[in-house]
């Protein structure tokens, strides 16, 4: 028996209203959440058309086999950054004027695998063996209104198509539970002298992978309590007038405690490493995850929160490196500079129309709300109002000061911190053994990243 996809009715309306505009097909992404029994689809978004290099030429009429795999994969990568914990790109849809043949189905299959390969590159986590690895390829024929729903196992390159059920349900998007937390990060990544051939981005990702293990092994308090993994997330929550706790959307506060491994049972070995410099990330990040209301377990909720923490930090670093590249700041210049300080983009949330679920985007300090709104519309193909944007992290009062003290001790720098830092302020400290350099950055911001390289 194939999988069942429970789909928000507004997704069906969106798909029905998509105009082919003279093209042979229109394709896009399906977004939602997996569970052991069934999958839930809360959003569909068409892949934006690729701009033609010569605007005076009419775009050629696409054939059914001409799925732009590279463009669709890049769209999936961009959209995956906008998903909070618990949500995934579940698959792809395609709307055609004719029923498609085997060649086109093979193209969709290749697209699913290419998208998953692209999105998995930046992940700091792995799917568990218990999780569902099926992804959906939905085909709708606009002339006959027939729906063909098939799934492929993305962990099996030789997998063949399996039929699946596609069922619409009204109000699916209004009964999701949210989990929110603020995580304070302080990550020090030494850059080994033996890894100088690696790019700065690769070195940073390797360092984040070590930090990710702390997050994976952390203790998670839900509304101040440690709950057993198999416990019902809604246990003890208020029920509706009908006696059903599932019908009410609940919001949970989550706190993360990372282990220090100071117990006597844990043995560690000190390692001396020759380094050419270091990368420091320090700040506070706002995290959010969503769980469907069908008898959620604590294990599922904690897993969604963990992945949002890991995703949002990794995504911000990736966006920063892309921004440096776009602004033609080569990594060699950053690597050779004695000290670099950059503010990572902060998080902005926006609601899915008619839903309690919110998606996110990332905003640098010099970007306007209009730009963020336009990016939401371009990526998600849904109208977003500026007043609906929720800026989760502010950087309005950010300031930077630095000081030099060749005789300072590494142990007494705490006294140099601002006596009355702004609430949720972030303090960034950089030290160098050859004449200690201390730099402080204080501000309400998403997170700070600094690059510091030892002089020869």
């Amino acid at each position: 028996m194939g999988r069942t996809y429970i789909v928000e009715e507004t997704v069906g309306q969106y798909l029905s209203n998509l105009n082919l505009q003279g093209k042979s097909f229109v394709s896009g992404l399906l977004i939602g959440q997996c569970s052991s029994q069934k999958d839930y689809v809360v959003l569909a978004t068409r892949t934006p058309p690729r701009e033609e290099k010569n605007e005076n030429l009419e775009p050629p009429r696409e054939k059914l086999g001409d799925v732009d795999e590279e463009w669709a994969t890049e769209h999936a990568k961009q959209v995956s950054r906008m998903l909070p914990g618990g949500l995934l790109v579940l698959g792809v849809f395609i709307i055609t004027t004719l029923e498609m043949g085997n060649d086109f189905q093979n193209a969709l299959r290749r697209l699913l695998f290419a998208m998953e390969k692209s999105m998995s590159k930046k992940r700091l986590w792995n799917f568990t063996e218990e999780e569902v690895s099926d992804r959906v390829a939905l085909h709708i024929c606009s002339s006959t209104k027939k729906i063909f729903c098939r799934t492929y196992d993305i962990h099996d390159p030789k997998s063949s198509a399996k039929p699946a059920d596609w069922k619409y349900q009204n109000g699916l998007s209004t009964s999701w539970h949210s989990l929110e937390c603020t995580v304070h990060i302080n990550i020090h990544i030494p850059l080994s002298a033996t890894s100088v051939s690696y790019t700065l981005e690769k070195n940073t990702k390797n360092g984040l992978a070590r930090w990710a293990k702390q997050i994976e092994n952390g203790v998670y308090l839900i509304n101040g309590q440690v709950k057993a993994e198999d416990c019902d997330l809604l246990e003890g929550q208020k029920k509706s007038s009908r006696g059903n706790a599932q019908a009410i959307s609940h919001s949970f506060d989550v706190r993360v405690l990372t282990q220090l491994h100071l117990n006597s049972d844990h043995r560690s070995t000190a390692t001396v490493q020759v380094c050419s410099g270091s990368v420091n990330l320090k700040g506070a990040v706002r995290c959010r995850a969503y769980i469907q209301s069908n008898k959620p377990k604590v294990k599922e909720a904690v897993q969604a929160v963990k992945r949002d923490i890991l995703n949002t930090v990794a995504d911000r670093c990736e966006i920063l490196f892309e921004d440096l590249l776009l602004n033609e700041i080569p990594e060699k210049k950053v690597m050779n500079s004695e000290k670099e300080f950059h503010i990572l983009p902060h998080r902005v949330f926006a609601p899915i129309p008619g839903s309690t679920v919110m998606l996110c985007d990332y905003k640098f300090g010099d970007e306007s709300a209009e730009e963020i709104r336009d990016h939401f519309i371009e990526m998600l193909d849904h109208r977003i109002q500026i007043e609906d944007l929720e800026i989760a992290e502010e950087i309005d009062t950010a300031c930077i000061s630095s000081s030099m003290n060749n005789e300072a001790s590494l142990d007494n720098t705490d006294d140099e911190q601002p006596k009355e830092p702004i609430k949720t302020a972030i303090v960034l400290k950089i030290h160098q053994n050859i004449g200690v350099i201390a730099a402080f950055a204080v501000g309400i911001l998403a997170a700070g990243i600094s690059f510091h390289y030892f002089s020869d």
Side-chain angles (χ1 to χ4, degrees), residues 403-414:
S403 63
M404 290 285 293
N405 185 356
N406 291 334
E407 298 178 357
S409 166
L410 291 177
D411 297 325
N412 66 358
T413 53
D414 289 340

Side-chain angles (χ1 to χ4, degrees), residues 280-327:
N280 289 75
L281 288 88
K282 189 170 184 179
V285 292
R286 287 287 300 277
C287 303
R288 188 174 297 179
Y290 291 92
I291 293 292
Q292 218 283 328
S293 62
N294 187 20
K295 298 180 180 179
K297 298 294 183 181
V298 169
K299 180 180 179 180
E300 298 167 347
V302 169
Q303 178 179 270
V305 172
K306 286 181 181 179
R307 291 179 178 178
D308 190 62
I309 296 170
L310 299 178
N311 284 345
T312 189
V313 174
D315 287 341
R316 293 174 207 234
C317 291
E318 190 176 47
I319 292 169
L320 174 64
F321 287 121
E322 289 175 357
D323 186 67
L324 293 175
L325 187 63
L326 287 173
N327 288 286

Side-chain angles (χ1 to χ4, degrees), residues 244-310:
N244 184 10
Q246 312 286 343
I248 303 176
S249 293
H250 296 276
S251 179
F252 297 88
D253 174 68
V254 180
R255 296 191 179 186
V256 186
L257 306 178
T258 54
Q259 298 174 342
L260 297 178
H261 297 298
L262 295 179
N263 56 333
S264 58
D265 296 333
H266 180 82
R267 298 186 65 182
S268 61
T269 304
T271 302
V272 177
Q273 188 177 38
V274 180
C275 296
S276 59
S278 63
V279 176
N280 289 75
L281 288 88
K282 189 170 184 179
V285 292
R286 287 287 300 277
C287 303
R288 188 174 297 179
Y290 291 92
I291 293 292
Q292 218 283 328
S293 62
N294 187 20
K295 298 180 180 179
K297 298 294 183 181
V298 169
K299 180 180 179 180
E300 298 167 347
V302 169
Q303 178 179 270
V305 172
K306 286 181 181 179
R307 291 179 178 178
D308 190 62
I309 296 170
L310 299 178

